[in-house]
Amino acid sequence: GDGLLEKALTALLGKGRRAVGVTGRARLSATVWRRGEAVDVHLAALGGERAQGATLFVGHQLAGTARRARFRSAEGGDVSIRLNPSGSSVSTVLPAFGGYAVLSLG
C-alpha cells in the first residue's frame, strides 16, 4: 500500500525537509529538474482529474531567492505567478490545469 512506499522513500531519502510538495484535492505528481540555477517543477494531474486550488511548496534549498515563477500548462496557459515565503519554503496556489504543467522558477 501507500504506507510501504512512504516507508521505503523515507529509508532512502531520510527524514529531512522535502524539496517540493503539493497539497490539494486532486492527486498530483511533482518532479523537480534543476540545471545550474534554473529550477523547473513538472506537474502531472493523475487519474484524469483536473487540478484546481492546489498549493505548491518549494524548499528554499531549490527556490533560493526566487519570488516569481512562470506557469505553463499543456492546455496553453502561460502566466507569471508570485511565490510567497513561508518558513523553510516558498509557496503558491497553482492555476487550474488538466494533464501536465511546468512551473519555472526565476
Side-chain angles (χ1 to χ4, degrees), residues 27-29 43-46 48-51 73-75 97-101:
R27 292 182 10 231
L28 294 175
S29 169
L43 302 154
L46 305 175
E49 295 179 74
R50 186 168 174 75
S73 72
E75 299 172 320
F97 74 97
Y100 189 79

